[in-house]
Amino acid sequence: MTIPEIVPEAARIDPIQSVLALWGAPGRPQEHPDLAMAAMDLAQAVGAGKVVHLSSAAVYGPVGKPVGEGAPLRPSSDYGRAKVEMEERVRAWTKAHPSGPKPVILRVGNVAGADSLFTNLRTGGRITLDRFADGQGPRRSYIGPDDLSRALAGIVSNPDLHGVFNLAAPRATSMVEIALATGAEVLWRPAPPEAQQDVVLDVTRLTEELPGFHPESCAQHLVDSARRSGVWP
């Protein structure tokens, strides 16, 4: 279905304030920039003032400390590179349409239930994780699906909020703790040289824009959130 075919249907409902472009193409990251452009065109066509895009912490590449939105973008994967291209094309579209909808780009950390860890976790099963020189496993910035929903609600309800924001809980979560919270048994292997122990987002900017928004990083909360949402298992 093309954008012109969608618009007549949209015109029959109440005015549309925001478009949430939460879609993706599993296994086909090269399609993400085109999907983002379709979202901007759709928002322009229906008169929405805002489009919320999901980018990723992958745009930063390997980082060893909490990283803010102003950090250089150095993606090390095709997925990360596709998200950088998506952001660049959104900015170019916005520049070419100064009176059009404003984008909100969310560089999201791991979403509980939807990342590779949860994909490989089974209650009562086994999972192998990297063990680093300090004897600990990997740590990541996570957010639960319910906290993600609350963030989106806060963003679309604030007409003046736009720009680029990191989105995750303010503290990183140990993947080992998540695995144990699901009832899985953790097996270990030595971390390879290219493995990254910490991927941590500095989320100060967004939490300041959304008073009262305090996403939780507790492993059990993340597991429960994934289950409540139906994302996992």
Side-chain angles (χ1 to χ4, degrees):
M1 182 175 287
T2 65
I3 297 298
E5 291 171 330
I6 295 173
V7 172
E9 293 297 322
R12 300 176 190 176
I13 62 178
D14 292 337
I16 298 171
Q17 298 178 347
S18 299
V19 170
L20 300 182
L22 310 184
W23 50 24
R28 303 193 304 277
Q30 70 277 6
E31 296 185 15
H32 291 201
D34 290 338
L35 291 170
M37 292 298 94
M40 297 302 293
D41 290 340
L42 175 60
Q44 175 91 323
V46 301
K50 178 182 298 184
V51 184
V52 181
H53 299 275
L54 285 190
S55 186
S56 168
V59 300
Y60 296 116
V63 291
K65 59 183 179 180
V67 60
E69 292 86 351
L73 304 186
R74 296 169 178 165
S76 58
S77 65
D78 289 341
Y79 178 76
R81 285 186 283 272
K83 289 298 190 182
V84 170
E85 181 185 349
M86 181 200 79
E87 293 189 16
E88 291 173 344
R89 289 181 62 182
V90 166
R91 280 190 285 270
W93 191 101
T94 305
K95 185 176 181 179
H97 302 80
S99 61
K102 302 301 182 185
V104 175
I105 295 175
L106 298 176
R107 294 173 180 165
V108 184
N110 293 30
V111 179
D115 73 322
S116 59
L117 174 64
F118 277 86
T119 299
N120 291 291
L121 276 172
R122 297 291 181 271
T123 299
R126 295 179 174 180
I127 190 166
T128 301
L129 296 175
D130 292 336
R131 174 173 275 161
F132 293 84
D134 62 359
Q136 302 299 311
R139 294 176 288 263
R140 297 290 184 268
S141 282
Y142 269 89
I143 190 167
D146 47 3
D147 286 328
L148 174 60
S149 297
R150 281 190 283 271
L152 293 172
I155 289 166
V156 300
S157 66
N158 184 342
D160 298 324
L161 193 153
H162 58 86
V164 179
F165 300 91
N166 289 338
L167 175 58
R171 290 178 296 278
T173 307
S174 164
M175 287 187 165
V176 177
E177 293 180 3
I178 291 174
L180 294 176
T182 69
E185 178 185 359
V186 176
L187 306 178
W188 295 100
R189 67 182 179 192
E194 69 276 9
Q196 193 170 351
Q197 186 170 17
D198 294 301
V199 179
V200 184
L201 297 176
D202 181 341
V203 297
T204 303
R205 185 179 180 200
L206 185 60
T207 53
E208 288 178 346
E209 293 285 349
L210 299 178
F213 176 60
H214 303 292
E216 294 187 40
S217 59
C218 167
Q220 189 64 59
H221 167 80
L222 294 172
V223 171
D224 292 344
S225 176
R227 284 175 169 150
R228 281 194 302 268
S229 68
V231 176
W232 183 91

